[in-house]
Amino acid sequence: MQIVLKFLLMTVIMMMMRNVPKVQLAQLRRVWMQDHCQNGICSGIHIGRNDYVIMSQAPIAKQIMLTFVNSSIAKIPHLMFDTFPDLQVLRLENCSVETFERPQFDGASNLMSLFLGYNLLKDIPKNIFLGADNLNALTLNNNFIKSLHNSSFHALKELKELNLADNQLELLPLGVFATMRKLLDLNLAGNRFELFPRGIFDKNLNLTRVNLARNRFKVFESELFKMQPRLTLLDLSGLILQELTLNFPILESIVANNCDLRKLTVYGIVKELELRNNSLREIPHMPNASNVTSLDLSHNPLGNLQGNPLRRYTGLLRLNLSATNMHDLPEGVFKKQNHLKLLDISSNSLYNLKFIIFDSLKSLQYFYFQQNNWNCDFLQLLLNSFVKRRDISFMEDIVEPELVDDYIDGVACWYENTKSSRHCESGTLTDAALELSIVRNDIKTMMETMDKKFVKIYRILEEMKLRL
């Protein structure tokens, strides 16, 4: 009944338009959605910020999904949900949306998912989502939002996913998330946060996934999430934190890539650790390391892992030691890894190894060892006696043919003695090969250090650009 009354009102407005002065007529436009939309895709619609838009002559029923492309829509028309009363999913990404129009979501009780990423929004007004009481997912990433109000999300009591990534947020009002008791997934990556108010997440007891990557935290406090017993993923990638201590009763996965970490200590139970491209020279200290099933330490300057540092990681299923400056491995390094299914030691400077290293790897299914300095005789033995014999999957090399002596099953290698070598004619080459390996490793380390410094400089320049 309300919908019929609203459209009767629209008819009256259209009749009155005949007597409206010409100056105002330019701001009163009809947009017949049937002319622009087909199979849930709307294209070529242009709505200015000052336009009063009449969407259609009558409601369009049974349309549950709309995606706008190649359109410029400065504001969402307030009659959108009268025109499409059954709408459940609305995508207005990259449409130049600048502002909301009150009452923006009146009649949007069926709306479940709203995607407003890659637009020009700067603010989320108070109580703007009144009417969208059943919204489950709200995406506002890649806008220009600088601030939020306590009541910005007041009506969204059913919300489960909120994405505010890549905006310009610096502070959060204490109660901004308080009404969202069902929130599961929160993405705040790529903003300008240096700290959060104590208790900011205390009402969000069901949080399971939190992304805080690429912010400006100088320290991180695990106490922020003391009320979240179901937390499964915490992403801290891109934070400049040289030392980090985390304390969670139980957590499925921690991601801290590209943080320049030198030392990491983790208390409680964590199952997966992803720590790529940091400055770690030692394995993370974890009293409960036996619970870790996946450990990614690739692109860290760990070296040769002396002293059996993996002895506590007895539950590992996946281990990535790619590009960790290794030119040797001690005999008992994998002695406790009986359950390991995937091992990656690629992109190092390994020449040959003692076969006793592989004795404990009874469950190995994937073994990545390409991009090393393998001796061809050892590589042949490794493939025939271990890899192929157990039907273990491996990867081939990508190396220019003129830079290697041979390929064995697609993996590059170099010969040691004069009988087998096609390029080497000197006598004893074991030391020479090792020296060559170390030189290559030093060059690789230098390039990685330069890359990290370039990333930092680029980040500083971006910050300066935003300030200007």
Side-chain angles (χ1 to χ4, degrees), residues 303-314:
N304 290 339
L305 300 181
Q306 298 295 334
N308 196 10
L310 294 169
R311 63 188 180 278
R312 297 188 181 202
Y313 290 81
T314 55

Side-chain angles (χ1 to χ4, degrees), residues 126-137:
K126 297 179 180 180
N127 300 315
I128 193 62
F129 293 105
L130 286 174
D133 303 333
N134 294 307
L135 197 65
N136 274 196

Side-chain angles (χ1 to χ4, degrees), residues 143-195:
N143 277 277
F144 297 88
I145 302 170
K146 294 183 178 180
S147 62
L148 297 172
H149 306 283
N150 264 337
S151 304
S152 289
F153 307 114
H154 181 68
L156 304 181
K157 296 180 181 179
E158 300 295 320
L159 200 71
K160 295 180 179 178
E161 299 178 21
L162 177 59
N163 188 346
L164 286 163
D166 296 294
N167 279 282
Q168 299 176 12
L169 292 166
E170 296 182 8
L171 298 172
L172 288 175
L174 183 57
V176 66
F177 304 130
T179 59
M180 295 184 282
R181 305 294 178 92
K182 297 184 180 181
L183 191 64
L184 301 175
D185 192 330
L186 177 61
N187 191 343
L188 296 172
N191 281 283
R192 302 175 182 179
F193 297 117
E194 294 186 8
L195 55 86

Side-chain angles (χ1 to χ4, degrees), residues 50 106 109 368 410 451:
N50 297 319
D106 188 22
S109 59
Y368 304 132
D451 287 342

